[in-house]
Amino acid sequence: MIITTTSTLQGKEIEAYLDIVSGEVIMGANVVRDFLAGITDIIGGRSGSYESKLAEGREMALQEMKEKARALGANAVVGVDLDFETLREGMMMVIATGTAVRVK
């Protein structure tokens, strides 16, 4: 399955626009990770634990979006947008949205 943030695919013709598809993931962070991230904030640097959690959420949301597109008969998703939101303390949401299409 081709996934792109662009609205067209170079060298491919979109033959059918099927529907908007999305994948939503809500994840909790744990207390140890929060504590270590707080220390990182104080001394500076990157928080590897949070970066890996964001990457995990992104991959899960994209996978869910692909599965929904595949169920519609799509072989690509164009115009993909990723959103990251904090819901409340220790909870984050990742949303992947795009247009399921059939290309030839």
Side-chain angles (χ1 to χ4, degrees), residues 31-46:
V31 174
V32 174
R33 184 180 306 115
D34 290 345
F35 175 74
L36 294 174
I39 292 173
T40 300
D41 287 344
I42 292 168
I43 62 174
R46 294 171 63 169

Side-chain angles (χ1 to χ4, degrees), residues 1-2 7 9 13-22 65-79 98-104:
M1 168 125 1
I2 300 169
S7 59
L9 294 169
E13 182 182 340
I14 295 176
E15 59 182 24
Y17 290 86
L18 304 173
D19 204 354
I20 295 171
V21 289
S22 64
M65 182 188 69
K66 286 183 208 179
E67 290 170 7
K68 290 179 180 178
R70 194 171 285 117
L72 294 172
N75 59 0
V77 182
V78 297
T99 302
V101 298
R102 195 171 317 114
V103 297
K104 55 180 174 173

Side-chain angles (χ1 to χ4, degrees), residues 21-26 57-71 77 94-96:
V21 289
S22 64
E24 300 91 9
V25 177
I26 298 174
R58 181 186 65 239
E59 291 306 314
M60 291 171 69
L62 287 170
Q63 185 61 37
E64 183 179 310
M65 182 188 69
K66 286 183 208 179
E67 290 170 7
K68 290 179 180 178
R70 194 171 285 117
V77 182
V94 183
I95 304 170

